[in-house]
Amino acid sequence: MIARLWRKFRTAYAAMDLQRKLMTLFSVVFLVLLLLFGAITFTNLAKNSRTQLLYSARQSQQQAMAFLSNKVNLAVYVSDVIYYDLSVHRLVLASASQPDDLGNEYRDFYTVWTNLKNFQSDTISNIRLHLENGSTYVDQEWNFGSFEALKETDAYQELVSSEKTYLWSAPWLQATSSRSDYNRVVSVLRLIRSLNDYNDIVSAVQISLEADQLDAIMHNAGIADGVVTYVLNAKGEVIAASDPDTVGGYLQTGALRTLYGQDMDAGRVTVGKESYICLSSTVSQTDWELTMLIPLSAVYASGFSAVKTILLCGIPIILCGLCLIWLLSRSFGQRVAALATRMESVQEGDLNGTVTETPPDELGRLGRTFNYMLGEIRNLMRQQYESGKLLKQSELKILQAQINPHFLYNTLDLINWKALDCGADDIAELTQTMGKYYRRSLSKGQDFVKIQSELEHLTLYVRIQNYRFDGRIQLISDVPDSLLELEMMKLVLQPLVE
């Protein structure tokens, strides 16, 4: 498929004129560079955004951990104060048997009750001290409960068997002081042992924290859309969450249980169909783990936003760049088209006119070279024309030269016949000799003649000279017969004899 599209593109590209080829090539290069710049920018921005987001997430997680630990430590501190309060131990001891002095029991009850109410605040919604059924004040106030009933609960059995100091519960509904409504609370249960015998468990105190406040801490820890923050205990129960519905859905799939205890720092995990960066840490004095899930989409969102902004701001730059590419392509294309048109006109025979030589770039030098070649062609044609004229004149002179000997031959032949008619044999013989001499001289226009013909021509020359000098010139030639058929340049021997 790709190969076929590439072949079609190459065929279409080859059929384009130069201007469109340059426009296509420059545009493709420009857009590729722009995309490369956008990819590099997005990568750097995403990297910086991830670094900044992780920094903010760590700060937010530490802040949430500080708030959460503050509430936990407050509850633990209150339990310690109650554990070592002598009034509490006296009241617990009195509840284990029939009190001897109801006045002292009431005073201890009132002191403990006042202390419990004073510890309650916006953070601690309720403190309940569990007394034996022998106490007069069991279940008579919101801050007191039955120790016998507590012993039947799973929480108590778990705390005793685990030998833990504290046992934190999952959120549950606790009746308010008016007993007409309920609050979602998270409780910590602590056993109170006898001051005389550590193995003797005499009571327990239960301190409840507002669950909504814990949820608010998780919610406030969210630094971006889609960030999920939650607290999970060792049983896989959600203690608090920024988005209870989302966390509850993930909890049902079992994905959150696999993350518990891994203590991640910017680890990449997949929960459901979403990829997250995970930050997790344990909450001291609890079995809780505070976890923050940052979606990768939030990490890259700022990068996409920045790239989108750059592209929107870069649209005028892109348009200006494409316009500049079009102008450059048009300029080069027109210059090359003008040169091609001029060459076609020269091919058709029009040698007049030139092409522009500016600016002095490669096309300018090509135009200058073309003009020089065109000038040389015109000069050669002019020289050829002049040479043709000279050739015609030479041919005419040669024709004239051929006419003159014929006229001379005819005249000498006429003199010969007139001399014979008048009985002047010497004149007739001299005339015949001169006719032969000139015929030998012309040699039908040949430059080379045989040695024998040259010797005959020399003999005729000497014979004519003897008419002048009364036969006093004697010519002796001694040439081997083997050389007579060889050729030599004519009229070479006559100057030597002269």
Side-chain angles (χ1 to χ4, degrees):
M1 180 66 180
I2 297 177
R4 185 167 64 253
L5 292 176
W6 173 248
R7 285 195 297 270
K8 288 183 178 180
F9 172 76
R10 290 181 59 186
T11 302
Y13 184 78
M16 295 179 183
D17 55 21
L18 182 60
Q19 180 177 346
R20 292 184 179 178
K21 285 182 178 179
L22 292 175
M23 180 68 183
T24 302
L25 179 61
F26 291 160
S27 299
V28 169
V29 172
F30 177 72
L31 293 176
V32 168
L33 291 177
L34 188 63
L35 290 176
L36 183 61
F37 171 76
I40 294 175
T41 302
F42 170 74
T43 302
N44 292 331
L45 289 175
K47 183 178 180 181
N48 294 334
S49 175
R50 183 178 186 275
T51 302
Q52 294 176 0
L53 190 63
L54 286 178
Y55 175 79
S56 300
R58 290 189 179 98
Q59 295 295 318
S60 180
Q61 186 198 33
Q62 292 176 5
Q63 187 177 22
M65 178 65 75
F67 288 146
L68 192 61
S69 298
N70 181 56
K71 293 183 178 298
V72 170
N73 292 335
L74 179 60
V76 171
Y77 169 75
V78 171
S79 70
D80 289 341
V81 172
I82 295 174
Y83 184 92
Y84 294 106
D85 190 348
L86 296 179
S87 299
V88 171
H89 282 274
R90 287 195 301 268
L91 183 62
V92 169
L93 183 61
S95 67
S97 61
Q98 292 295 329
D100 296 334
D101 187 351
L102 294 178
N104 290 334
E105 182 186 11
Y106 176 78
R107 282 192 294 271
D108 291 333
F109 163 76
Y110 184 79
T111 300
V112 172
W113 181 41
T114 303
N115 291 336
L116 294 182
K117 288 195 299 182
N118 290 336
F119 281 130
Q120 292 178 176
S121 62
D122 293 337
T123 300
I124 299 177
S125 62
N126 176 251
I127 301 175
R128 175 167 289 190
L129 181 64
H130 294 273
L131 303 175
E132 294 287 353
N133 290 337
S135 174
T136 309
Y137 304 101
V138 172
D139 291 330
Q140 291 190 10
E141 289 294 340
W142 189 44
N143 298 107
F144 296 93
S146 172
F147 186 49
E148 294 297 329
L150 179 65
K151 291 179 181 180
E152 302 298 326
T153 62
D154 294 336
Y156 178 83
Q157 298 298 329
E158 179 182 352
L159 182 58
V160 171
S161 62
S162 65
E163 297 184 355
K164 295 179 181 179
T165 305
Y166 312 101
L167 179 66
W168 291 88
S169 70
W172 60 285
L173 297 177
Q174 185 183 56
T176 62
S177 58
S178 62
R179 303 182 187 272
S180 61
D181 199 2
Y182 292 90
N183 286 334
R184 283 182 66 251
V185 296
V186 174
S187 301
V188 57
L189 181 65
R190 179 172 184 175
L191 301 177
I192 298 178
R193 299 178 182 272
S194 174
L195 296 178
N196 299 322
D197 185 3
Y198 182 79
N199 293 324
D200 184 16
I201 302 174
V202 295
S203 181
V205 62
Q206 187 178 37
I207 303 173
S208 300
L209 305 177
E210 290 282 352
D212 291 341
Q213 293 185 6
L214 302 183
D215 289 340
I217 294 175
M218 300 299 104
H219 180 76
N220 294 332
I223 57 174
D225 294 338
V227 176
V228 178
T229 308
Y230 64 90
V231 176
L232 200 70
N233 64 12
K235 297 179 182 179
E237 299 170 328
V238 178
I239 305 300
S242 59
D243 187 352
D245 294 336
T246 301
V247 174
Y250 288 161
L251 188 63
Q252 291 179 358
T253 63
L256 301 186
R257 293 297 303 271
T258 60
L259 300 179
Y260 181 85
Q262 297 189 19
D263 197 17
M264 290 187 178
D265 183 21
R268 185 168 179 175
V269 298
T270 301
V271 181
K273 297 181 180 180
E274 188 78 25
S275 295
Y276 293 94
I277 294 177
C278 180
L279 300 173
S280 61
S281 57
T282 58
V283 182
S284 62
Q285 304 189 82
T286 67
D287 61 345
W288 298 350
E289 186 174 80
L290 173 61
T291 303
M292 178 179 289
L293 297 178
I294 308 168
L296 287 180
S297 57
V299 175
Y300 297 123
S302 59
F304 281 119
S305 178
V307 170
K308 186 186 297 184
T309 303
I310 292 174
L311 290 178
L312 290 177
C313 296
I315 287 177
I317 299 176
I318 295 174
L319 295 178
C320 292
L322 293 177
C323 290
L324 181 61
I325 289 173
W326 180 79
L327 291 175
L328 291 175
S329 303
R330 183 171 177 269
S331 175
F332 280 108
Q334 286 181 343
R335 292 173 65 189
V336 174
L339 182 60
T341 303
R342 188 70 191 93
M343 288 181 176
E344 292 175 354
S345 64
V346 171
Q347 184 178 0
E348 294 174 358
D350 183 12
L351 300 179
N352 297 320
T354 58
V355 296
T356 179
E357 300 179 4
T358 55
D361 52 9
E362 286 77 3
L363 288 177
R365 292 199 297 269
L366 183 61
R368 183 168 62 254
T369 303
F370 176 77
N371 291 336
Y372 173 78
M373 293 174 60
L374 196 60
E376 290 296 315
I377 292 174
R378 287 195 293 263
N379 292 334
L380 289 174
M381 293 186 65
R382 190 180 300 108
Q383 293 176 5
Q384 186 178 9
Y385 174 73
E386 297 295 335
S387 299
K389 288 176 60 179
L390 294 176
L391 180 60
K392 293 294 182 181
Q393 292 176 359
S394 300
E395 291 176 353
L396 182 59
K397 289 181 180 179
I398 292 173
L399 181 60
Q400 292 175 351
Q402 291 177 350
I403 294 173
N404 292 334
H406 285 292
F407 178 74
L408 179 61
Y409 299 154
N410 293 333
T411 302
L412 292 175
D413 189 52
L414 179 59
I415 294 173
N416 177 43
W417 286 106
K418 287 294 183 180
L420 290 175
D421 290 342
C422 296
D425 296 334
D426 293 340
I427 296 174
E429 183 179 358
L430 177 59
T431 304
Q432 291 178 0
T433 302
M434 290 181 65
K436 292 179 181 180
Y437 173 77
Y438 282 115
R439 286 190 179 92
R440 296 286 183 181
S441 298
L442 294 175
S443 302
K444 298 180 181 181
Q446 297 179 355
D447 294 328
F448 291 88
V449 296
K450 295 182 178 180
I451 294 177
Q452 182 178 0
S453 178
E454 183 70 8
L455 291 175
E456 291 175 356
H457 176 267
L458 187 59
T459 302
L460 292 173
Y461 174 74
V462 172
R463 184 182 299 173
I464 293 172
Q465 294 297 327
N466 276 330
Y467 278 105
R468 178 182 177 188
F469 297 104
D470 295 329
R472 289 180 293 179
I473 301 175
Q474 185 180 2
L475 175 64
I476 299 173
S477 61
D478 183 9
V479 180
D481 294 339
S482 60
L483 301 177
L484 294 177
E485 294 299 323
L486 299 177
E487 292 185 347
M488 64 175 294
M489 187 176 291
K490 69 179 182 179
L491 300 179
V492 173
L493 299 179
Q494 179 181 331
L496 297 177
V497 173
E498 290 180 355

